[in-house]
Amino acid sequence: MPRREQTGLLKRFLPRTLFGRSLLIIVTPVILAQAVATWIFYDRHWDTMTNRLAFAVAGDIAMVIGMLEHDPTPEGRNWTLAATARSTDLIVTLEPGSTLPDHPPKLRGMLENTLSKALHERVRRPFAINTRITREWYEIRVQMPDGVLSVMSPERRLFSPTSYIFILWMVGSALVLFTVAIIFMRNQIRPIKRLAAAADALGKGRDVRNFKPEGATEVRQAAVAFLRMRERIHRQITQRTEMLAGVSHDLRTPLTRMKLALDMLGDGPEVEELLTDVSEMEMMIEGYLAFARGEGTEAVQPTDLTRILNEVVSGVRREGAEVALVAPDGLTLPLRPNATRRCLANLLSNARRHGDRIWVRAEREDGFIDILVDDDGPGIPQASRDDVFKPFFRLDSSRNQATGGAGLGLTIARDVARSHGGDITLSDSPYGGLRVLIRLPV
């Protein structure tokens, strides 16, 4: 498999969040360390302890068999069985005339296999191991010349509880470590999430309140840099707005004097041309002021978008346009109401100027609200759809000076949409004209 495909396959199974990846970095070494420790424990401790205990029991059984063979009299046999029960915790009985079955029960588990190995080495007689006779006891039956020797061994003589204690300590410590790691990582990730939420709110043009640097040093540095960036952006927008508004306002005074002077000159072709130029300059200044207001510092507030759409559509209908509106109730989201109203008014006015009918539809989809404005006009060539958003750009054929404005309508509209974290795109309308899509994040 190529290396790139292996990397892609690995990324598919890795957590996508910073919290998940950080927790994986902490948890993976702990799990590996415990796995190694467990392996070493079972390979060394369990094997050693089980062998010693099993060989000790097998040695006691071999000793009992040897004492029984040394003194086979009834008195000697009874003394041997009593001494064994008293000193070894083994309950030994002799069943005269009994024999072991031809097919003893199969051995199960590591403990029975270890005990079987010990009996083979120490006792060296046919035997059978029964673990189902009673709880916490093992029965070992050994074939003797005159019967079967039954040995009941308690489980504590064959099994060390330190195994369970070790496992409990391993699991318990792992749970404690995982809990501490989760709490610690959540506390470390929380400032990063707040910084991301603040950056997202700033990108949507919303006010970022009660945000302060917190967390680790690096996160604090990023938060401080974000706050400085926000101040610089606000300062730049304010300066740009004030400059545009000031320049546009100052130009009104000489234009007013020029109009008065032209009115005093009387009628004539030259005067009419100058009046036309002055009117066009006034229209451009109004566009400047509208652009400056769109860049202003209007506060973001929860706004009923459906109500604004109805107001704008009603205004366009009063101007003689035929508009069809489809918008559900309850489209409320944080917006700058006046800027949004200006954006929609520019788009509908543009559609009214170049089409006979307008279709407006608003819908909620995947965390966004889409507003579609369709017309049946001549549309805009695809090659010019990016240029029409440039300030003062006008198309000669369908958006010329005779039918268009100052060339700031779409510029202001996109500027307002992007200041809310959205955007405006152009495409072909199914009604034959232009489709304008306004996408605003909820």
Side-chain angles (χ1 to χ4, degrees):
M1 182 181 297
R3 185 174 182 181
R4 182 175 299 177
E5 294 182 5
Q6 293 178 353
T7 304
L9 185 63
L10 182 61
K11 288 183 178 179
R12 187 182 303 175
F13 293 99
L14 287 176
R16 294 185 178 273
T17 62
L18 178 61
F19 173 77
R21 294 189 177 188
S22 301
L23 195 62
L24 184 65
I25 293 174
I26 296 176
V27 168
T28 301
V30 175
I31 294 177
L32 290 176
Q34 291 194 345
V36 172
T38 303
W39 174 262
I40 294 175
F41 172 80
Y42 278 103
D43 187 53
R44 300 295 182 184
H45 177 78
W46 172 271
D47 187 59
T48 301
M49 291 296 297
T50 303
N51 276 328
R52 289 181 180 178
L53 294 174
F55 275 86
V57 172
D60 291 345
I61 295 174
M63 181 188 67
V64 171
I65 293 174
M67 294 175 65
L68 291 175
E69 291 178 346
H70 179 72
D71 188 1
T73 62
E75 293 78 8
R77 179 184 302 171
N78 293 335
W79 181 89
T80 300
L81 297 180
T84 303
R86 185 172 56 251
S87 59
T88 63
D89 289 338
L90 300 177
I91 302 176
V92 183
T93 57
L94 184 62
E95 301 175 4
S98 298
T99 58
L100 294 177
D102 295 334
H103 301 286
K106 293 183 179 180
L107 301 177
R108 299 179 305 169
M110 184 183 298
L111 180 59
E112 293 184 24
N113 289 322
T114 303
L115 180 58
S116 174
K117 178 181 177 182
L119 292 173
H120 274 297
E121 293 187 9
R122 296 290 176 88
V123 177
R124 298 179 181 178
R125 292 175 180 267
F127 63 89
I129 302 174
N130 186 6
T131 60
R132 302 178 183 179
I133 187 170
T134 184
R135 186 179 179 184
E136 297 183 353
W137 286 85
Y138 282 71
E139 182 186 25
I140 304 167
R141 299 175 64 84
V142 182
Q143 184 67 57
M144 302 288 289
D146 55 349
V148 173
L149 182 68
S150 175
V151 180
M152 296 293 296
S153 172
E155 189 180 37
R156 65 177 180 273
R157 287 215 54 187
L158 295 169
F159 178 78
S160 174
T162 56
S163 302
Y164 290 147
I165 295 174
F166 176 79
I167 294 175
L168 289 176
W169 270 104
M170 292 279 287
V171 174
S173 61
L175 291 177
V176 171
L177 290 174
F178 293 163
T179 303
V180 172
I182 290 173
I183 296 174
F184 177 78
M185 289 308 305
R186 284 189 182 277
N187 291 333
Q188 297 301 312
I189 296 298
R190 189 176 294 113
I192 300 177
K193 288 185 175 180
R194 291 177 180 173
L195 177 59
D200 183 65
L202 179 64
K204 295 177 181 178
R206 301 170 186 175
D207 191 16
V208 183
R209 298 180 179 178
N210 300 326
F211 177 76
K212 60 181 180 179
E214 58 182 350
T217 303
E218 292 80 1
V219 181
R220 288 176 179 269
Q221 291 176 351
V224 170
F226 166 76
L227 292 175
R228 292 175 179 172
M229 178 190 68
R230 183 187 64 174
E231 293 176 359
R232 287 194 293 267
I233 291 174
H234 286 173
R235 185 166 58 249
Q236 181 182 8
I237 292 175
T238 302
Q239 291 175 351
R240 179 182 177 185
T241 303
E242 292 176 352
M243 181 190 68
L244 287 174
V247 171
S248 301
H249 183 270
D250 292 342
L251 287 176
R252 282 184 167 183
T253 303
L255 284 176
T256 302
R257 290 199 300 265
M258 291 172 64
K259 289 183 67 175
L260 290 174
L262 290 173
D263 289 338
M264 295 176 62
L265 291 177
D267 298 332
E270 295 82 1
V271 174
E272 291 296 332
E273 291 179 1
L274 289 174
L275 285 173
T276 302
D277 292 339
V278 170
S279 298
E280 184 177 350
M281 291 179 67
E282 283 185 331
M283 183 176 59
M284 295 175 65
I285 290 174
E286 290 297 331
Y288 270 123
L289 290 175
F291 187 73
R293 287 193 294 267
E295 289 282 318
T297 57
E298 182 185 2
V300 176
Q301 56 184 313
T303 305
D304 187 352
L305 182 60
T306 303
R307 180 176 59 83
I308 293 181
L309 283 171
N310 284 314
E311 293 175 356
V312 174
V313 168
S314 298
V316 177
R317 285 172 178 168
R318 285 194 297 268
E319 296 176 1
E322 184 178 351
V323 186
L325 173 63
V326 178
D329 296 331
L331 291 180
T332 302
L333 69 161
L335 293 173
R336 295 184 178 91
N338 294 330
T340 304
R341 189 177 289 106
R342 188 178 302 111
C343 169
L344 295 172
N346 286 347
L347 294 177
L348 267 67
S349 177
N350 198 53
R352 180 188 63 81
R353 190 178 298 114
H354 302 285
D356 297 327
R357 299 184 62 186
I358 304 172
W359 293 265
V360 181
R361 186 173 81 253
E363 57 190 9
R364 187 188 300 268
E365 183 176 355
D366 296 334
F368 291 89
I369 291 181
D370 292 342
I371 305 172
L372 298 172
V373 180
D374 293 296
D375 62 53
D376 57 354
I380 296 177
Q382 187 173 1
S384 302
R385 287 175 184 171
D386 291 332
D387 296 331
V388 294
F389 289 105
K390 298 177 181 179
F392 306 109
F393 180 87
R394 286 172 289 194
L395 295 174
D396 293 334
S397 59
S398 61
R399 264 62 171 176
N400 52 35
Q401 295 181 3
T403 59
L408 286 172
L410 288 176
T411 304
I412 295 172
R414 172 173 273 187
D415 182 73
V416 171
R418 287 183 172 178
S419 69
H420 289 88
D423 202 357
I424 294 180
T425 56
L426 305 179
S427 61
D428 294 327
S429 172
Y431 301 100
L434 181 68
R435 164 168 285 186
V436 181
L437 170 62
I438 310 170
R439 171 161 289 188
L440 298 174
V442 178

